[in-house]
Amino acid sequence: MNMLSETIRLEIEPLGIKTIIVIAGIVKSNFFANLPTSQLPAEETKPAPRYKLPEGSYYKSLEAEISKAAAGEISAGKNIMTAEAFGTEVVNDVLRGRSGRTYSGTLGWGAKWIPMFPVAWLDTYCKKRGALRSFVRVDT
């Protein structure tokens, strides 16, 4: 998507049309608000997760982490930019006449700097620090 956006920006700039490419960091949202509170039968006695992967899913070993993200637990209590603040920041960039890329949202700046690191370093970091360390393929 980034390459397409950059290409369009470069093609229409000589026509006097300004574009802005918003590269978003982490933003609080209601993305999972309509997720069912349970996908398990009502007769289950234990609390049901809000998110359940199908049996044999390739991502089954990450189900607990995915469930935490769906419940909003990963960003709970952290200083994550609200959707309103994100929108205000982007609109301000537009009103100031900014064109090209703009980085907004918590850790949005990372999208600018992270690609400068060798991919092997990033892979190792993500596997050691994140849930990917527990990612094991489930054969179907």
Side-chain angles (χ1 to χ4, degrees), residues 17-106:
I17 302 170
K18 287 185 174 183
T19 62
I20 189 168
I21 300 166
V22 178
I23 301 173
I26 305 167
V27 179
K28 282 185 185 177
S29 72
N30 295 325
F31 186 80
F32 293 107
N34 295 319
L35 190 65
T37 55
S38 174
Q39 295 177 356
L40 298 177
E43 62 271 6
E44 288 278 339
T45 55
K46 65 180 183 176
R50 290 197 56 173
Y51 186 86
K52 185 163 175 55
L53 290 170
E55 290 304 318
S57 170
Y58 185 76
Y59 301 100
K60 196 68 173 170
S61 64
L62 296 174
E63 185 171 42
E65 292 298 317
I66 294 169
S67 187
K68 284 181 193 175
E73 294 173 17
I74 290 176
S75 60
K78 295 183 180 168
N79 189 20
I80 306 297
M81 183 179 271
T82 65
E84 292 81 11
F86 175 80
T88 299
E89 199 170 279
V90 171
V91 167
N92 286 338
D93 283 344
V94 171
L95 294 176
R96 282 193 296 258
R98 186 172 192 143
S99 63
R101 294 181 185 166
T102 183
Y103 300 84
S104 189
T106 303

Side-chain angles (χ1 to χ4, degrees), residues 23-25 103-115:
I23 301 173
Y103 300 84
S104 189
T106 303
L107 301 176
W109 56 267
K112 181 186 244 182
W113 300 107
I114 288 175

